[in-house]
Amino acid sequence: MKPAFLTDAQIDARALAHRRELGFRDDQGIDFITLMTKLKRRYPNFAYERVPDSQLGEAEAQWDSQTKRLLVPEAVYAAANRGEGRALMTVAHEVGHALLGHEGALHRAPAGNRTERLSPRVRAMEYQARRYAAAFLIPDIEPVRHLSAGEMSEHYGVSMSAAMLRKSELR
């Protein structure tokens, strides 16, 4: 199945809508455990599972649409619980796959990996999930547009590289 074509504006709008449906305020950062709890409450079939670090190979986490399960390696789980921005972005990326309705076993791995290079379908879904994660964690609202990347990083608890990317997207 080919993923639906979504513009950047549509991805941003969906991420903001999902963020609000889950009960997160626009001016609030998102923490891992609260996110998992709210996802489970809103989507009863959703589940996440901690797995050994070696289980997913180079993948930092994985969404499986058949089992409706997010697999999170122990190291990413621990980092997300500590509030580390990269781990939170990894989780938000997989949540993006889930809430955008992407089908298959999809995972966040280094950009440009072999599967992504060879498959336009996977490339499109990975792009959408990357965009979604940034928009979910840093919403496109007027006050945010006036923040520097450093302020975005600090306020929303994301990595500086994620904040810089989001800042460029909001221009």
Side-chain angles (χ1 to χ4, degrees):
M1 179 175 129
K2 184 177 178 182
F5 174 79
L6 297 172
T7 66
D8 289 347
Q10 289 170 321
I11 295 168
D12 283 7
R14 286 191 186 188
L16 183 59
H18 290 150
R19 181 185 173 88
R20 289 173 175 170
E21 285 171 11
L22 289 169
F24 291 104
R25 293 189 338 256
D26 294 347
D27 64 344
Q28 171 186 29
I30 293 175
D31 74 90
F32 173 70
I33 293 298
T34 302
L35 175 59
M36 294 298 104
T37 301
K38 289 182 176 203
L39 283 168
K40 181 66 178 159
R41 189 176 306 131
R42 176 82 169 95
Y43 306 101
N45 292 333
F46 174 88
Y48 77 95
E49 180 181 341
R50 295 164 62 173
V51 298
D53 290 335
S54 60
Q55 183 171 325
L56 300 179
E58 71 173 0
E60 296 173 35
Q62 181 180 60
W63 168 250
D64 185 334
S65 66
Q66 276 198 312
T67 63
K68 304 286 189 244
R69 186 169 306 277
L70 170 60
L71 302 178
V72 183
E74 286 292 338
V76 174
Y77 181 89
N81 272 330
R82 288 191 302 269
E84 291 182 20
R86 178 160 178 81
L88 187 57
M89 184 64 80
T90 294
V91 170
H93 177 99
E94 298 310 319
V95 168
H97 283 307
L99 298 184
L100 291 172
H102 294 167
E103 293 183 1
L106 302 158
H107 58 270
R108 184 171 187 207
N113 68 27
R114 186 172 193 276
T115 304
E116 197 173 323
R117 284 193 318 268
L118 296 176
S119 170
R121 175 183 166 271
V122 170
R123 192 169 36 256
M125 289 189 297
E126 290 303 320
Y127 172 81
Q128 289 178 5
R130 278 192 290 274
R131 176 75 187 215
Y132 181 95
F136 186 75
L137 295 175
I138 305 173
D140 183 2
I141 57 172
E142 187 59 32
V144 168
R145 290 178 168 270
H146 301 289
L147 298 176
S148 69
E151 290 167 330
M152 284 180 189
S153 174
E154 185 175 323
H155 185 81
Y156 287 100
V158 299
S159 68
M160 182 55 98
S161 61
M164 289 170 57
L165 176 63
R166 187 64 176 149
K167 182 71 178 171
S168 71
E169 291 173 350
L170 294 176
R171 286 190 183 131

